[in-house]
């Protein structure tokens, strides 16, 4: 087997082990058709199953599938001998039924016992793809192939992963109960950020007193009084005009 294919098969089986609880040795249900093909192609069926599933296997077959090989005559005696070498799985069918119906009934709707099914029948493979967690093996040109997981298998795997993330019922009971419909805050205009708004600084009002003169009057009142007192004196006084020498001067008379 190529390394790339072996790596892919290893990932597929880890998916089945983690999500659906598969474990070694894997229980492999084989049908009559794959036994016939293995003898015709000279394939070591037990060895190839262990190689594909990347682990120990336990091949199993039902009585109904062996009965099908008996009905095909002595030509299928090598296939009958190969089937007898496998472990017998009880199917609880008193009368033999077709092999595909027998395997479908053993697997059931949930694959409770975690079977891997190796079959060549197309209708049976299509029916098993609807059951989650069923690895299907078939042979194509003497090469054993493990089919990729079906859509139902992937859906159940994702569902289990989501459930694993949620708390269990016992943990939910311990948690405090919260109101189902919390009150919603009404949306409205928002005010400014209080951290970005500067606070108003209140400065003390200082009363400035005007300087006063010793007599009890202020400087402005004193100046006004001085101006009022100087006005009448200026109007009464007249300036003398000096006479400069333009004519004959009068003689000075002295009396004794």
């Amino acid at each position: 087997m190529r390394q790339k294919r072996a790596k892919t098969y290893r990932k597929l089986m880890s998916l089945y082990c983690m999500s659906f609880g598969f474990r070694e040795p894997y229980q492999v249900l084989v049908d009559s058709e794959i036994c016939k093909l293995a003898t015709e192609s000279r394939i070591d069926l037990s060895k190839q199953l262990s190689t594909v599933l990347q682990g120990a296997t336990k091949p199993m077959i039902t009585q109904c599938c062996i009965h099908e090989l008996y009905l095909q005559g002595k030509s299928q005696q090598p296939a009958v001998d190969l089937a007898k070498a496998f472990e017998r799985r009880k199917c609880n069918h008193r009368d033999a039924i077709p092999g595909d119906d027998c395997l479908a009934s053993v697997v059931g709707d949930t694959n409770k016992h975690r079977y891997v099914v190796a079959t060549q029948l197309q209708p049976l493979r299509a029916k098993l793809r609807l059951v989650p967690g069923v690895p299907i093996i078939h042979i194509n040109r003497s090469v054993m192939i493990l089919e990729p997981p079906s859509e139902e298998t992937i859906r159940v795997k994702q569902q289990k992963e989501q459930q694993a993330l949620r708390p269990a019922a016992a943990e939910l009971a311990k948690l405090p109960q919260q109101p189902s419909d919390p009150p919603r805050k009404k949306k409205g205009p928002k005010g400014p950020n209080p951290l970005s708004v500067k606070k108003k600084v209140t400065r003390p009002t200082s009363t400035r007193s005007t300087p006063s003169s010793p007599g009890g009057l202020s400087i402005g009142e004193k100046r006004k009084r001085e101006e009022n007192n100087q006005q009448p004196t200026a109007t009464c006084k007249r300036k003398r005009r000096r006479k400069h020498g333009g004519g004959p001067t009068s003689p000075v008379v002295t009396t004794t």
Side-chain angles (χ1 to χ4, degrees), residues 175-191:
L175 294 176
Q177 295 182 356
Q178 296 180 356
S180 57
D181 296 330
R184 295 183 179 180
K185 294 182 179 180
K186 294 182 179 180
K187 292 184 179 180
K190 296 181 180 179

Side-chain angles (χ1 to χ4, degrees), residues 218-231:
S218 62
I219 296 175
E221 292 178 352
K222 189 175 180 181
R223 284 179 181 176
K224 286 182 181 180
R225 180 172 288 187
E226 287 178 356
E227 289 176 358
N228 293 335
N229 293 337
Q230 288 178 2
Q231 258 184 353

